[in-house]
Amino acid sequence: MKKIHSFTAVLLLVFAGVCQAWQQRVEYNIEARLDTAEHRIYATQHLRYFNNSPDTLTAVWFHLYPNAYRDNSSFFAREAEQQQDYRSRHSSPEDKGWIKINSLLVSDSTAVFKYGPEYGVPFIRGGRADEMAIFGDYGGTHPAVNKKFKEPKYKLDSTSASLELPIPLAPGDSVDFYFDFTVKVPKFFSRMGHEGTHYEISQWYPKIAVYDAKGWHADGYHYIGEFYGDYGSFQVGLETPKDLKIGATGSQVLEYDDQGQPLDDIAGYHLFAADNVHDFAWCADPEYIETTEQHGDIGITVLVRPKDKERWKNVMQYAKDALDHYGRWYGQYPYPALTVCDGDMAAGGGMEYPNLVIVSTGEDQYTRTLEMVVMHEIGHQWFYGILGNNEMDQAWLDEGINSFSEQRYFEEKYGPAGNYLAKESLRKLLPEASNRNVGRMIPYLYSANRMDQPVDARACISGEMGQYAASAYMKPAAMMWWLKGYLGNSTFDRVMQGYYRDNQFRHVGTEKFYEAVEKYSQKDVKPYFAPWLKTTGMSDYSVASVRQIKEQRNTYSITLARKGNLAIPAAFSAEDAINKKYDVLWSGRGRDTTFLLQTDGKLVSAVIDPDNVLLETNRWNNCRPRRYRVTLGPRLPSFESYNMFWLPVPWYDNVNGFRLGTMLHGAYLADGDPMVGHHQWTFSPFYGFKSKEISFSFDYQTPVGLRPRPPRAYLTAGSAFDINYAGIGLKRTWGPRLMLDPTESFDLKLDYTRYKDYRFWDPRDVDTAAVVSLMAQRGYGLTRHWGRSSFLSRITIGYIQRPESDINNYLKFELEEKLNVRINKHINPRFRLTVGYIQGPAPAQEQFFLAGSFKTTGLDNMLASGKDWFSTQEHYHVDGGANLPGYYGTHIRGRNMWAVNLTLPVMKSPLSLFAGAGQVSNDWLEFTAGSIRADAGLSLALGPMRLMFPLWINKPEEGKKQFDWRWTIGFGGSGEGMGIKF
Ligand SMILES: [Zn+2]
């Protein structure tokens, strides 16, 4: 009965599929001339459009994509700025691009376009509330995404436009459009562009939007999100300067003159023809070196520029391997030609067009990135090209299946590890760097931070690139791995081959995919796929307990738990001491399940999801016994293990003499926004041979709660340089996006500090009493086209144990603004403005120091000495205080402070000029113009280190010179150590 039932369902589905299976057809005939002096294309286009729909069309929509580059008001330009990509904004008018329709005839009548949102183009910015509300569970993205983006006033985006037809187009009829148009080719801001006489021409002609059962898909050109086109034929004649070599969609049609010479060679005219494709793109370069090889029925052409020739030597082989793998997995490549072009496009490492891929990465000696990009883009010939999904609405059907195929390719070609690294020595060092693991870091980040979006979210509403990479690429790649495991390899291949065969040269959507799964596996995966597609549910399974039942040997009671809200069948595997395996499939229904397992030998391991097909937010709890890994030095985290490393740290300072110590570190994944790890600690003990003292520092932090970008609870303690300290705090960073500004932060910390005596500390810098303080700090960071601003405010309430004094409490206020201003490409000054005020008897160490911060944190903590020449008031500089490094050695400090610091990087070199002015005093009344202190000098960034030469100060001490040879050393390579690069 059941079988018949599902059979009927399949029949109905197939029948329904047939009913809806109309799609429009296009025939494009384009003649284009490229002017390389003006970077313009002059073209005529005849489009014959066949209405195969059951509807009479009174108007049609066209994409006029090159208008994305017209000015800073296009969707693309504004969305680029949201993504902190200011290339378009900072470009000059002659670098911009556009399309101009010089004339348009529809059949015999002239027609004009209507542009813009008032004609029905949906205006969508990153994450609009009503867009996201349709998704269940967490309601899509972190609510802040929606809150933070204010709807701007409508402005015209002229990348799509509608056109009223003079005569309604009846079902079964066709209409002819005759365009005369000009395209100005921009510099590279996205996909179409030129650099000198190198051209990549895509989304360049008036392209009719897709009309399907859901209506018109007239999406504009967005910063994130790709395309959707109608299938048909293209005949494109390209007239270019003679020396340009061309790669294009389709196959070149050679024409001959009277002497039998190919016309192509004489006039720089190239004619291309393609059938069963939905777009036409081309690239051109006078320097292209062409290699052509016949691979079975397919002619492969590789076009490479001389500068990349050496790095591209394997590309032909990669192309063949990609064609072979995809052909074997899914079905044969059906076109006669495929071209791989070396490009500069600026929207990722590569881009796919029918029969043509543009790759803008080169081989590096460390990774297999070039191979990955080449095979990924070629894979799009199947998923995008031959099966034409709407990339804006359901990008998972091309990017997701493709990313899965990419990982599968690596694992088939390079062994189960699928290592992404090219060098044998690196692979040994980082065996975890498999393509699959590396790819999973992105969805992990978004999922663990509760900032991901559903797989099915429209691409253009992604708050940032990473979010799109997670939802369109990496999450669905995991879905495909899961599906492969769930169906078994051979059924999975049958499903994919059937999906491909049944839908060649047709539009596909998620329903078509479900249909194929059901038809070829008799399984309904919709209930498992839907939560992935429609919600941001997370997967977290664990082996909660494994208990041996005492009375019966080798009988175990096993409890599996589901902590995530994604309930999908999960494989469980156990192994006993005689290497026998026991497999169980848990439906994932309910929060947990307990079952008995009878084994032949003693159970040695139990794992849920042993094949690593689920996108687990915590894999450590997947294994029993829990796995621990200890390494010398840091390594890529293993998702399965709690990772620990140790590192010997020898050092020297005046007080301790030669120091020998070690850094011990442990964490389940590294923790620190945006990375969400767990139970991270660092313990660094050392011994000073001169001081004969043992010192140590200890830090611990872990995320708490399940909020988006979770807060961290942290703990610090130590005894170093004869100081005892302990602190406990809570900090959080948040913002609408994970990797991009604006960000806000909050930090609350309760501290206890006691400097014990003056053996290790300079009495000018510290008071030896015990101090308890409560600090609250607020930060705000913002990036705009003019630069970056970060603002910090801090209030500290402190208590100092001073039996001789009546007043023990103090209050400290600090404000700091750092501005990184982009004046132009070459001039990026950085400013720092700060004021500080203390009321009450704050201990010396809490006061403001003129030369820089007295206090150290992190690495400085370990390296700086407490007193003498390598202390922070001598030759070791830590940013903070009034930050006038020229005054090192003066130990000037006070309860009131203001300062202005300026750093000017010299033409992108590691060299910067810096200058500063400010005052530090115990009394505001001492702040007179005559008492302002200033310094100026040079700083040199050497990797993470910074050498500063404050050669001039205005108020040297008695007997010292204004100009003198002075130096300090510190960390933070960007001159003033503001840590911001623009
Ligand atoms: Zn792709």
Side-chain angles (χ1 to χ4, degrees):
M1 261 320 262
K2 214 176 167 191
K3 248 196 178 138
I4 295 164
H5 226 93
S6 73
F7 181 64
T8 321
V10 168
L11 258 188
L12 278 173
L13 271 172
V14 169
F15 186 64
V18 167
C19 276
Q20 293 167 4
W22 56 267
Q23 66 187 26
Q24 310 293 63
R25 179 175 162 76
V26 291
E27 282 175 11
Y28 284 92
N29 210 316
I30 304 174
E31 287 297 326
R33 180 172 66 84
L34 172 67
D35 182 327
T36 54
E38 294 183 297
H39 308 297
R40 286 178 195 211
I41 298 166
Y42 299 94
T44 57
Q45 169 178 306
H46 170 209
L47 163 64
R48 181 163 290 172
Y49 181 68
F50 297 87
N51 181 14
N52 297 330
S53 81
D55 309 320
T56 298
L57 303 176
T58 55
V60 294
W61 280 89
F62 275 87
H63 299 288
L64 303 171
Y65 289 132
N67 285 338
Y69 313 112
R70 192 157 78 167
D71 53 36
N72 296 327
S73 74
S74 68
F75 293 158
F76 169 79
R78 280 179 293 155
E79 288 166 355
E81 291 191 26
Q82 282 181 25
Q83 304 300 325
Q84 288 164 218
D85 174 348
Y86 302 110
R87 283 173 297 190
S88 171
R89 155 77 76 156
H90 293 315
S91 68
S92 60
E94 63 266 28
D95 292 342
K96 300 265 200 267
W98 40 257
I99 181 169
K100 190 167 159 251
I101 308 298
N102 305 316
S103 72
L104 169 57
L105 287 174
V106 183
S107 298
D108 290 326
S109 353
T110 48
V112 280
F113 274 124
K114 291 173 178 172
Y115 293 97
E118 57 268 48
Y119 297 103
V121 181
F123 184 88
I124 292 153
R125 275 169 80 97
R128 206 171 63 178
D130 55 350
E131 272 286 323
M132 302 307 290
I134 55 169
F135 302 111
D137 224 359
Y138 291 98
T141 318
H142 171 21
V145 174
N146 307 322
K147 203 170 64 192
K148 287 284 168 175
F149 289 110
K150 276 187 243 137
E151 282 292 318
K153 277 190 191 132
Y154 269 150
K155 269 190 171 179
L156 237 53
D157 178 283
S158 46
T159 56
S160 43
S162 77
L163 189 67
E164 263 163 45
L165 294 173
I167 306 160
L169 181 61
D173 273 1
S174 69
V175 58
D176 292 290
F177 300 93
Y178 299 91
F179 288 89
D180 185 302
F181 67 96
T182 308
V183 172
K184 164 78 174 55
V185 183
K187 286 265 174 129
F188 286 105
F189 308 119
S190 180
R191 297 179 183 87
M192 173 166 77
H194 80 94
E195 190 57 60
T197 50
H198 169 84
Y199 293 88
E200 289 160 41
I201 309 297
S202 64
Q203 286 89 33
W204 59 288
Y205 57 92
K207 180 181 174 186
I208 195 153
V210 171
Y211 181 76
D212 65 14
K214 289 180 184 158
W216 286 100
H217 297 272
D219 292 311
Y221 192 101
H222 289 272
Y223 190 80
I224 300 179
E226 297 181 354
F227 311 99
Y228 191 30
D230 271 322
Y231 284 91
S233 66
F234 285 77
Q235 177 132 334
V236 182
L238 301 171
E239 191 189 332
T240 66
K242 230 179 108 177
D243 59 335
L244 253 59
K245 294 191 182 65
I246 313 279
T249 296
S251 304
Q252 193 158 356
V253 183
L254 290 177
E255 290 182 302
Y256 299 89
D257 66 4
D258 302 340
Q259 278 84 44
Q261 289 271 30
L263 268 174
D264 174 39
D265 278 343
I266 296 166
Y269 181 78
H270 317 260
L271 183 65
F272 290 90
D275 208 1
N276 279 326
V277 295
H278 54 61
D279 202 358
F280 186 95
W282 52 290
C283 39
D285 193 305
E287 294 195 311
Y288 267 151
I289 302 161
E290 185 177 316
T291 317
T292 304
E293 279 188 34
Q294 195 66 28
H295 188 61
D297 296 334
I298 309 154
I300 309 173
T301 303
V302 173
L303 291 170
V304 65
R305 286 168 295 180
K307 69 179 175 89
D308 293 326
K309 195 183 170 225
E310 188 46 37
R311 302 192 304 163
W312 269 51
K313 61 179 190 288
N314 296 322
V315 165
M316 180 61 83
Q317 190 56 48
Y318 298 156
K320 289 181 191 170
D321 286 355
L323 285 169
D324 290 347
H325 279 83
Y326 276 89
R328 182 155 47 78
W329 292 330
Y330 308 121
Q332 281 307 303
Y333 180 76
Y335 305 103
L338 174 72
T339 302
V340 184
C341 282
D342 176 13
D344 287 329
M345 48 119 357
M351 185 62 199
E352 68 278 7
Y353 306 101
N355 313 158
L356 174 77
V357 300
I358 296 178
V359 175
S360 54
T361 35
E363 193 102 75
D364 60 70
Q365 52 176 326
Y366 305 109
T367 68
R368 291 172 167 146
T369 308
L370 178 65
E371 179 170 16
M372 186 181 86
V373 176
V374 169
M375 73 79 51
H376 176 103
E377 303 310 340
I378 290 177
H380 277 304
Q381 296 304 317
W382 278 257
F383 304 102
Y384 149 84
I386 303 159
L387 306 180
N389 60 299
N390 181 340
E391 294 182 291
M392 186 63 87
D393 287 352
Q394 292 181 325
W396 83 269
L397 282 168
D398 62 297
E399 299 300 1
I401 294 179
N402 232 355
S403 299
F404 156 76
S405 307
E406 181 195 302
Q407 293 165 3
R408 188 181 181 187
Y409 171 96
F410 266 71
E411 289 173 29
E412 272 194 22
K413 187 166 171 181
Y414 295 114
N419 204 296
Y420 173 71
L421 299 166
K423 269 203 161 154
E424 179 69 38
S425 53
L426 280 177
R427 284 199 295 275
K428 278 205 178 119
L429 202 64
L430 297 169
E432 305 83 4
S434 73
N435 195 318
R436 211 189 314 180
N437 271 349
V438 171
R440 281 177 174 204
M441 287 309 293
I442 303 163
Y444 174 79
L445 278 179
Y446 284 87
S447 187
N449 279 295
R450 307 294 196 278
M451 288 186 80
D452 57 349
Q453 60 190 17
V455 168
D456 240 0
R458 271 169 68 76
C460 60
I461 64 165
S462 305
E464 59 189 328
M465 267 308 185
Q467 215 168 32
Y468 174 58
S471 66
Y473 290 68
M474 295 309 170
K475 253 211 284 195
M479 283 160 55
M480 295 301 289
W481 279 112
W482 174 85
L483 185 67
K484 185 164 170 277
Y486 181 68
L487 298 179
N489 288 344
S490 61
T491 308
F492 176 78
D493 284 341
R494 200 164 62 238
V495 164
M496 293 307 288
Q497 285 159 13
Y499 171 57
Y500 176 70
R501 204 171 43 239
D502 295 350
N503 296 293
Q504 272 195 14
F505 314 126
R506 303 201 62 80
H507 291 147
V508 290
T510 304
E511 288 306 318
K512 290 279 176 204
F513 186 80
Y514 286 151
E515 241 172 62
V517 175
E518 186 143 354
K519 183 172 163 190
Y520 295 100
S521 75
Q522 272 77 52
K523 279 194 173 130
D524 179 12
V525 289
K526 217 171 177 170
Y528 310 129
F529 263 43
W532 245 323
L533 291 167
K534 300 286 178 198
T535 77
T536 51
M538 296 179 309
S539 172
D540 183 10
Y541 286 93
S542 77
V543 179
S545 74
V546 175
R547 275 187 309 111
Q548 186 165 13
I549 294 178
K550 284 230 166 63
E551 49 275 24
Q552 302 152 281
R553 282 191 64 226
N554 295 337
T555 301
Y556 297 87
S557 166
I558 293 168
T559 303
L560 306 177
R562 177 172 62 81
K563 295 179 172 176
N565 43 11
L566 216 58
I568 46 178
F572 167 84
S573 178
E575 197 174 334
D576 68 15
I578 53 170
N579 296 330
K580 203 168 163 198
K581 284 204 168 155
Y582 307 87
D583 295 316
V584 176
L585 186 73
W586 180 34
S587 69
R589 275 186 226 116
R591 280 287 159 188
D592 52 51
T593 182
T594 301
F595 56 91
L596 291 179
L597 189 71
Q598 183 80 48
T599 57
D600 294 347
K602 191 176 153 50
L603 203 64
V604 290
S605 85
V607 183
I608 191 159
D609 186 29
D611 298 324
N612 193 4
V613 298
L614 295 171
L615 206 57
E616 292 274 280
T617 46
N618 182 347
R619 287 196 76 78
W620 188 40
N621 62 19
N622 286 35
C623 311
R624 285 274 168 163
R626 294 271 196 268
R627 294 178 190 175
Y628 295 87
R629 190 186 67 176
V630 184
T631 56
L632 172 61
R635 294 265 296 268
L636 270 192
S638 149
F639 276 86
E640 279 77 25
S641 316
Y642 187 85
N643 304 289
M644 289 175 280
F645 74 80
W646 65 282
L647 200 64
V649 186
W651 193 240
Y652 179 87
D653 71 66
N654 283 18
V655 179
N656 288 288
F658 177 67
R659 282 157 46 173
L660 193 60
T662 176
M663 180 183 178
L664 304 165
H665 179 89
Y668 174 65
L669 306 179
D671 187 56
D673 187 83
M675 209 37 217
V676 182
H678 297 275
H679 303 300
Q680 172 172 295
W681 55 266
T682 307
F683 178 57
S684 309
F686 73 80
Y687 177 75
F689 283 87
K690 185 172 148 198
S691 65
K692 299 191 176 8
E693 289 276 336
I694 292 175
S695 305
F696 77 91
S697 68
F698 176 78
D699 297 291
Y700 169 84
Q701 78 172 36
T702 201
V704 287
L706 290 173
R707 296 181 65 94
R709 291 178 93 166
R712 264 83 185 181
Y714 66 96
L715 191 75
T716 60
S719 169
F721 302 121
D722 212 25
I723 175 182
N724 290 338
Y725 66 92
I728 181 169
L730 192 72
K731 61 184 171 186
R732 187 176 172 215
T733 302
W734 68 96
R737 286 161 295 176
L738 195 56
M739 313 283 194
L740 300 172
D741 280 344
T743 55
E744 295 180 60
S745 64
F746 185 72
D747 192 349
L748 188 70
K749 193 181 180 200
L750 181 68
D751 257 321
Y752 163 83
T753 325
R754 186 165 166 250
Y755 291 83
K756 284 189 285 194
D757 61 42
Y758 292 119
R759 271 183 305 152
F760 302 120
W761 299 101
D762 193 308
R764 290 172 292 181
D765 299 341
V766 301
D767 286 327
T768 54
V771 176
V772 178
S773 65
L774 180 68
M775 182 273 292
Q777 177 179 297
R778 187 84 163 78
Y780 186 75
L782 180 74
T783 300
R784 285 281 186 269
H785 66 93
W786 46 258
R788 183 170 198 274
S789 154
S790 62
F791 181 71
L792 202 72
S793 55
R794 197 183 292 141
I795 301 177
T796 311
I797 306 166
Y799 171 86
I800 176 163
Q801 193 186 34
R802 268 199 189 116
E804 74 278 10
S805 166
D806 291 345
I807 309 165
N808 299 80
N809 302 319
Y810 65 91
L811 203 57
K812 180 179 172 183
F813 300 95
E814 286 164 272
L815 298 175
E816 183 187 60
E817 167 67 28
K818 289 176 177 177
L819 264 180
N820 191 340
V821 183
R822 184 195 193 277
I823 289 173
N824 61 35
K825 217 190 283 183
H826 304 293
I827 305 176
N828 299 294
R830 293 192 291 261
F831 300 94
R832 174 179 179 266
L833 303 125
T834 181
V835 288
Y837 172 73
I838 296 171
Q839 195 173 33
Q845 62 269 20
E846 284 297 312
Q847 296 178 17
F848 305 108
F849 285 76
L850 185 66
S853 170
F854 164 71
K855 282 189 183 172
T856 53
T857 51
L859 199 59
D860 295 322
N861 229 342
M862 218 153 65
L863 301 182
S865 156
K867 107 198 249 190
D868 298 340
W869 70 274
F870 217 52
S871 77
T872 59
Q873 292 308 303
E874 299 290 336
H875 287 281
Y876 194 97
H877 181 80
V878 177
D879 275 316
N883 224 17
L884 304 177
Y887 290 88
Y888 69 78
T890 63
H891 297 256
I892 294 172
R893 60 175 162 81
R895 290 196 293 267
N896 302 310
M897 180 247 327
W898 72 267
V900 181
N901 309 110
L902 164 71
T903 307
L904 192 64
V906 180
M907 302 294 264
K908 293 186 173 163
S909 74
L911 204 65
S912 304
L913 304 172
F914 69 84
Q919 284 170 306
V920 163
S921 160
N922 277 329
D923 192 347
W924 282 110
L925 296 174
E926 290 171 19
F927 281 4
T928 57
S931 65
I932 293 174
R933 285 184 161 86
D935 71 351
L938 290 171
S939 91
L940 182 69
L942 295 169
M945 258 176 42
R946 176 180 79 222
L947 271 170
M948 296 178 93
F949 305 102
L951 302 175
W952 177 83
I953 59 174
N954 72 331
K955 290 188 179 298
E957 286 173 282
E958 281 280 320
K960 298 217 170 129
K961 290 179 284 183
Q962 283 193 323
F963 273 102
D964 206 352
W965 173 247
R966 298 182 188 88
W967 64 274
T968 69
I969 192 168
F971 280 83
S974 57
E976 202 71 62
M978 291 182 181
I980 312 152
K981 289 232 164 65
F982 187 72

